[in-house]
Amino acid sequence: MVQKTPATIVVFGASGDLTSRKLVPALFDNYCKGRLHEQTRIVGVSRTEMTDQEYRDKLYNAAAETLGKTCSLDCWKEFASRIHYCSGDVSAAGDYQKLEDRLQELEGSTANGRLYYLALAPQLYEPLIEQLGAAGMADESKSWRRIVFEKPFGHNLETAQRLNARIHSAFSESQVFRIDHYLGKETVQNLLVLRFANSIFEPIWNRNYIDHVQITMAETTLVGSRGGYYDRAGILRDMFQNHMFQILSLIAMEPPSRYSATALHNEKVKVLHAIRPPKPEQIAMYSVLGQYQDYHSEQGVSADSITPTFAAVRFDIDNWRWQGVPFFLRSGKGMPGKTTEAIIQFRCPPHMIFDSPDDPSSSCNQLLITIQPDEGIHITFHTKVPDSGMAMRQSKLYFHYRDSYPINAIPDAYERLLLDALNGDSSLFIREDEIELAWKLIDPVIAGWANRGEKPYAYAKGTWGPAEADTLIKCAGRNWVNGASFDHD
Ligand code: BG6
């Protein structure tokens, strides 16, 4: 995993939080691991006037806590000598020529590739794309030009389609890298390895053996300082349209023919196509929205906001593999613990020959995939209790990254994603049709609630959401497994 060709990484939104908290530390870690090409440089662009040195110091001060996770801070100076700064207003056409001149001056006669990273407010995406196109900065006749988009990618299907169309007026799809940072997580990638590098799971990975699937993304944190953004987005746009559907797709997709961007994207798109969009009359039965108490007093949130901070939604997949296997998805802020986990609940044995004081159907085999924070896999199965007739109880097999790999073995998601973008590998990025299909599934839920004119149900902070979310899954004859990954020290 090394960067293959030299590149200039141009970060628009250079003085923002994402740049100092995520991008620069991830690039620095890659540098410390010897993975960046020696002629790679970073050029920050934002409106404030600053010298290169002032920008380097600003980054250092902002990122000091995160920097140096994997190597000594001594190499920061060496790394910082590759960081430059160019002031500019992304909405001012004249500033692009100034930027191009600066880039050419830094690049000299080297045919550097360029990675444009948009770490700025989404409303600036469209003018920026237009200006980059008009200034000839997307042109690949000298070397490659790529562009990275952060979420949110659109606000609904219509705006996502418009943004895709704008992008394609300047960049071809092969130049576009839409980030979902969940795909940069090791344990999300491990879903592919678990399913497709083992032979014991795939034969039973279907409706004949699986009863249902649950995916939970719970956060203890509240909206914090992001109230302004969040109040417009809400949990369905913030977590479901992107992260949730990515995990669902990786769990539900057919095996790709090889590990390649096209093969992966094609399979994910097929499964997204097969998900049944909820009909208006199903909204109340298949989805529950919640809002944590006192959400209205958060900074940037409107006093009469009906933005959900929690959602539980059932989706069904219309294909041979998954017919009759519901997927229950839930995510919320202000939950009792931070965890992202997927539960594959297997069917119970068709006939139980042992008498058991417990109801064996309440504890059938389960595969728990913990994406974070305790990255690992648990398998639950029955074992015989010794010296007690044929009594049985549930036992677990555990695998944890922290037990099997050195501390800090799991890198930050951005490390991998930046390297892949620099190498032109879009396997862990989102193709335009995936984005649009995910909106096609989420928009009806958002519209359904808006049409019903109902507020999200209130829930107390530190709980697993409103009681109605329990009713949703109970009506389908199942139960949520709360904090499944918390039971192992
Ligand atoms: C972001 C959302 O995409 O993901 C945030 O905008 C959320 O609201 C975050 O907190 C969760 O990411 P992670 O990696 O902490 O699970």
Side-chain angles (χ1 to χ4, degrees):
M1 283 213 319
V2 291
Q3 184 192 346
K4 295 182 189 126
T5 55
T8 306
I9 303 164
V10 184
V11 183
F12 294 99
S15 44
D17 208 35
L18 177 69
T19 307
S20 54
R21 268 192 326 107
K22 290 287 180 190
L23 304 183
V24 169
L27 287 167
F28 180 55
D29 279 339
N30 273 323
Y31 176 77
C32 296
K33 292 177 185 171
R35 290 176 176 166
L36 285 194
H37 192 282
E38 55 184 17
Q39 283 166 36
T40 285
R41 61 179 65 77
I42 301 159
V43 179
V45 184
S46 66
R47 275 186 301 193
T48 325
E49 291 288 341
M50 267 184 280
T51 63
D52 285 357
Q53 191 53 48
E54 281 166 345
Y55 182 51
R56 291 168 190 162
D57 293 345
K58 179 179 158 67
L59 283 179
Y60 182 76
N61 293 335
E65 266 177 35
T66 353
L67 295 173
K69 208 174 66 190
T70 51
C71 74
S72 108
L73 288 184
D74 291 346
C75 55
W76 168 258
K77 266 196 179 161
E78 216 179 282
F79 172 73
S81 67
R82 294 149 184 264
I83 301 180
H84 305 272
Y85 183 78
C86 179
S87 64
D89 179 350
V90 294
S91 45
D95 286 1
Y96 287 81
Q97 192 52 51
K98 177 178 146 202
L99 174 62
E100 177 63 26
D101 292 346
R102 182 79 203 278
L103 295 176
Q104 285 187 16
E105 175 197 320
L106 290 166
E107 288 165 351
S109 55
T110 335
N112 267 35
R114 282 194 202 154
L115 189 71
Y116 301 118
Y117 202 110
L118 275 56
L120 32 67
Q123 58 271 27
L124 296 172
Y125 288 177
E126 292 190 20
L128 192 138
I129 298 158
E130 204 174 302
Q131 298 297 348
L132 284 176
M137 294 172 81
D139 180 75
E140 294 198 292
S141 49
K142 286 202 193 124
S143 185
W144 57 263
R145 302 285 182 259
R146 297 183 193 128
I147 184 159
V148 183
F149 290 90
E150 277 287 336
K151 67 171 264 271
F153 195 91
H155 187 69
N156 50 29
L157 176 62
E158 193 192 331
T159 48
Q161 283 174 327
R162 197 183 67 201
L163 182 53
N164 275 330
R166 281 287 165 86
I167 293 172
H168 292 145
S169 66
F171 292 88
S172 66
E173 181 63 19
S174 63
Q175 294 175 278
V176 182
F177 289 72
R178 300 174 192 82
I179 279 215
D180 182 317
H181 79 280
Y182 262 72
L183 290 184
K185 292 184 192 273
E186 291 288 331
T187 37
V188 173
Q189 294 157 33
N190 190 45
L191 273 169
L192 292 169
V193 175
L194 177 80
R195 287 194 59 196
F196 306 129
N198 295 298
S199 56
I200 59 169
F201 299 113
E202 207 44 31
I204 54 169
W205 205 263
N206 57 52
R207 64 189 302 277
N208 298 325
Y209 296 92
I210 295 178
D211 176 75
H212 74 278
V213 175
Q214 301 186 10
I215 307 174
T216 297
M217 286 187 183
E219 298 185 279
T220 48
T221 46
L222 307 176
V223 298
S225 57
R226 296 168 75 226
Y229 150 76
Y230 197 88
D231 205 34
R232 247 178 69 70
I235 195 89
L236 291 167
R237 292 188 176 93
D238 191 49
M239 299 294 273
F240 278 66
Q241 188 274 339
N242 34 67
H243 313 322
M244 276 290 194
F245 277 131
Q246 284 304 315
I247 293 184
L248 187 158
S249 308
L250 295 179
I251 292 175
M253 73 186 193
E254 294 301 314
S257 54
R258 64 182 66 85
Y259 183 81
S260 79
T262 309
L264 282 164
H265 291 150
N266 286 349
E267 294 306 338
K268 284 199 281 169
V269 159
K270 265 196 237 164
V271 83
L272 288 168
H273 264 297
I275 300 176
R276 204 184 299 156
K279 296 196 179 97
E281 64 274 18
Q282 290 173 326
I283 295 295
M285 207 164 64
Y286 280 18
S287 66
V288 167
L289 302 188
Q291 189 184 70
Y292 62 76
Q293 280 165 355
D294 300 331
Y295 170 72
H296 295 112
S297 51
E298 300 281 8
Q299 196 191 338
V301 167
S302 75
D304 54 356
S305 170
I306 54 163
T307 299
T309 58
F310 171 93
V313 188
R314 167 183 171 158
F315 286 103
D316 292 86
I317 304 180
D318 286 331
N319 63 19
W320 276 53
R321 187 188 284 265
W322 296 115
Q323 194 56 239
V325 181
F327 281 64
F328 298 100
L329 276 47
R330 68 176 168 165
S331 178
K333 297 218 180 264
M335 306 270 103
K338 162 108 178 156
T339 184
T340 299
E341 53 195 44
I343 290 175
I344 314 297
Q345 177 64 61
F346 290 94
R347 288 183 189 280
C348 295
H351 168 60
M352 186 54 85
I353 62 169
F354 308 109
D355 287 333
S356 165
D358 305 328
D359 170 13
S361 66
S362 67
S363 53
C364 304
N365 301 131
Q366 226 175 49
L367 175 69
L368 166 68
I369 303 159
T370 310
I371 310 272
Q372 63 184 18
D374 188 9
E375 295 89 351
I377 293 168
H378 305 182
I379 298 181
T380 311
F381 55 102
H382 284 116
T383 52
K384 182 181 174 304
V385 179
D387 201 15
S388 61
M390 289 308 282
M392 54 190 172
R393 77 163 194 223
Q394 271 205 339
S395 301
K396 285 189 183 173
L397 284 178
Y398 293 105
F399 157 74
H400 285 107
Y401 274 83
R402 65 179 149 88
D403 299 335
S404 305
Y405 295 96
I407 197 161
N408 285 340
I410 297 196
D412 186 80
Y414 278 89
E415 268 184 58
R416 170 70 188 262
L417 294 176
L418 279 161
L419 211 52
D420 282 359
L422 287 165
N423 284 331
D425 181 353
S426 62
S427 308
L428 300 176
F429 292 81
I430 320 289
R431 202 167 64 186
E432 60 174 322
D433 44 356
E434 279 176 74
I435 288 265
E436 294 182 8
L437 282 164
W439 280 121
K440 275 191 189 156
L441 294 165
I442 279 303
D443 279 356
V445 183
I446 296 172
W449 274 77
N451 293 339
R452 291 170 66 224
E454 268 184 43
K455 288 184 184 163
Y457 300 103
Y459 64 95
K461 287 174 221 163
T463 65
W464 291 98
E468 286 76 4
D470 296 333
T471 313
L472 176 145
I473 195 167
K474 280 206 172 91
C475 286
R478 279 85 171 188
N479 289 299
W480 293 114
V481 183
N482 289 331
S485 58
F486 299 166
D487 69 343
H488 181 65
D489 293 326

